[in-house]
Amino acid sequence: MARHTLRRRLLAPAAVAAAMTLVMATPANAAVVWNGDADNGMTFREFLCDEGNYVYTPDWGDGRGKRWGFVGKAGTTRCESYGVMVGGSEYNFTSGKAYWFGWEQMTLTDGWGVSFQWKSNGTGEQHDQNYPVIMMILEGYLRVWYVSPGEQWNQVGAVPWTAETWHKIELGINAQSSTAGSFQVYLDGNLFVDVANARTWDLVGNKPRWGVYDTNVLETDEVNWINDLKMGTTRADVD
């Protein structure tokens, strides 16, 4: 696999606040709901990519098969997935349920921008959080924010991130339109985010998005590779 050394200019995080605690409620009788691995073909509804950006599915012969590669060119804003497909139709996320997502992730560098969003549906006044849960690879760390109503940013976790190395991320979200929501994040099997008393479901709902975002702050290109994507209702489904 060809690699390129990149120089980049980073923006500082928006705001930082103390972490909160969580007890995540998940059903006991669960199964994998969605297998989004690239070997299964197009498992997303669509890709949202600026002109010049693209998604590709390389197989490097390392036993992982195909993986998603989201390429964001320098000076652009995004290249990311939108919606997940189950049984030929877009999956309908709803409030009052627990969702677990698991995936392997590798990035070309260790400091560029947004890699995951629990993105709010609608635009403008149709939402007031925009992305209740958001992850960034920033300044050598995987950083996680809880964005509360009024789009108030609260950093709730940060762990060192090594570029050009595969990492396993597991995210559990108890989707609630009140402050009874919660979420957890594991990196390489270790819990580092545990948030309770949070609203995790915006006015007209949310969807997960993976990819690269905010590459407009970079001087060169960025790549985010995602492998073995799964969604279920318990951590065991995606572990």
Side-chain angles (χ1 to χ4, degrees), residues 47-54 70-73 75-82 114 117 119 209 211-216:
F47 297 117
L48 304 175
C49 296
D50 292 348
E51 184 177 357
N53 294 348
Y54 61 93
F70 296 86
V71 180
K73 309 296 285 186
T76 64
T77 298
R78 67 175 176 178
C79 188
E80 58 184 350
S81 64
Y82 176 81
V114 178
Q117 302 179 69
K119 183 71 170 69
R209 295 189 186 186
V212 293
Y213 199 89
D214 273 354
T215 45
N216 58 304

Side-chain angles (χ1 to χ4, degrees), residues 30-47 68 70 81-93 99-103 116 118 207-210 226-234 237-239:
V32 174
V33 175
W34 172 66
N35 187 329
D37 191 78
D39 280 321
N40 294 325
M42 183 56 172
T43 57
F44 302 104
R45 171 179 159 181
E46 61 181 319
F47 297 117
W68 301 108
F70 296 86
S81 64
Y82 176 81
V84 305
M85 301 297 290
V86 175
S89 301
E90 183 178 2
Y91 183 81
N92 182 33
F93 292 92
Y99 299 102
W100 277 88
F101 304 95
W103 67 93
F116 173 86
W118 180 236
K207 292 184 177 73
R209 295 189 186 186
W210 290 267
I226 304 290
N227 183 59
D228 197 28
L229 261 170
K230 290 185 177 67
M231 179 182 75
T233 57
T234 71
D237 296 331
V238 301
D239 193 8

Side-chain angles (χ1 to χ4, degrees), residues 32-172:
V32 174
V33 175
W34 172 66
N35 187 329
D37 191 78
D39 280 321
N40 294 325
M42 183 56 172
T43 57
F44 302 104
R45 171 179 159 181
E46 61 181 319
F47 297 117
L48 304 175
C49 296
D50 292 348
E51 184 177 357
N53 294 348
Y54 61 93
V55 180
Y56 75 125
T57 55
D59 184 341
W60 297 332
D62 58 359
R64 286 182 165 85
K66 294 180 180 180
R67 73 286 327 264
W68 301 108
F70 296 86
V71 180
K73 309 296 285 186
T76 64
T77 298
R78 67 175 176 178
C79 188
E80 58 184 350
S81 64
Y82 176 81
V84 305
M85 301 297 290
V86 175
S89 301
E90 183 178 2
Y91 183 81
N92 182 33
F93 292 92
T94 60
S95 64
K97 292 187 177 181
Y99 299 102
W100 277 88
F101 304 95
W103 67 93
E104 288 187 307
Q105 180 170 326
M106 181 168 69
T107 58
L108 187 61
T109 64
D110 64 4
W112 48 272
V114 178
S115 58
F116 173 86
Q117 302 179 69
W118 180 236
K119 183 71 170 69
S120 302
N121 298 324
T123 59
E125 293 181 355
Q126 293 176 309
H127 59 66
D128 65 357
Q129 288 176 274
N130 203 354
Y131 19 59
V133 181
I134 191 165
M135 298 183 187
M136 293 186 184
I137 309 300
L138 192 65
E139 299 172 328
Y141 286 82
L142 170 61
R143 301 180 186 269
V144 181
W145 279 268
Y146 165 56
V147 182
S148 60
E151 209 163 323
Q152 299 298 310
W153 286 57
N154 309 278
Q155 184 171 297
V156 293
V159 289
W161 181 268
T162 303
E164 299 190 86
T165 299
W166 285 108
H167 299 277
K168 179 63 180 287
I169 297 175
E170 295 158 294
L171 164 66

